[in-house]
Amino acid sequence: MKKSTTPFYDILGISSATICLVHCLVFPLLTILPLGISHNPVIDLIFATLGLFAIIKIINKSSLLISSILIISMALIWISVLAELFLDIHLDLIFIGGVGMIIGHLLNYKMHKNNNH
């Protein structure tokens, strides 16, 4: 019997989204301190790419609700990242998208765990 890799992608997505959310919440506080740290939107782009990779692998095998949560959350993240990268505008949509990604991956992980046991 072939083992599904969906839990791996859920764990990757949960980890990436959590690290991204912590980064987005803590980093503005670090820029206040005189440490010489400046914001680089490429880091946000890396987190968004990891999240996109994880949800592409998951959405075909998950329910419509979970797929919708993940797709909408990822769209909010990409809108925010691209607006910052190209327009130099910071949108708070990235926080909503990050929380949505965590919720979507947790729901999918729980659903997958319940279906296999």
Side-chain angles (χ1 to χ4, degrees):
M1 189 166 133
K2 183 179 178 185
K3 185 175 179 175
S4 175
T5 58
T6 301
F8 169 76
Y9 293 115
D10 281 324
I11 292 169
L12 175 68
I14 292 166
S15 302
S16 175
T18 303
I19 292 169
C20 180
L21 189 60
V22 169
H23 162 78
C24 291
L25 293 172
V26 173
F27 189 80
L29 298 174
L30 292 177
T31 58
I32 294 171
L33 300 173
L35 299 173
I37 299 173
S38 62
H39 179 68
N40 187 350
V42 175
I43 294 172
D44 297 336
L45 188 62
I46 292 169
F47 285 127
T49 303
L50 277 173
L52 183 63
F53 175 72
I55 69 161
I56 286 172
K57 297 290 187 178
I58 291 172
I59 57 174
N60 293 332
K61 299 174 186 169
S62 61
S63 70
L64 180 61
L65 174 66
I66 293 171
S67 295
S68 300
I69 291 171
L70 292 173
I71 290 170
I72 290 169
S73 298
M74 184 52 66
L76 293 174
I77 290 170
W78 275 97
I79 289 168
S80 181
V81 168
L82 293 176
E84 179 132 13
L85 203 65
F86 294 114
L87 304 174
D88 202 27
I89 300 170
H90 178 73
L91 300 174
D92 290 335
L93 296 175
I94 198 164
F95 302 124
I96 299 167
V99 171
M101 289 292 286
I102 294 169
I103 291 169
H105 283 296
L106 284 172
L107 289 174
N108 193 52
Y109 183 77
K110 184 176 178 181
M111 182 186 75
H112 186 267
K113 188 174 176 181
N114 289 340
N115 288 343
N116 286 338
H117 288 92

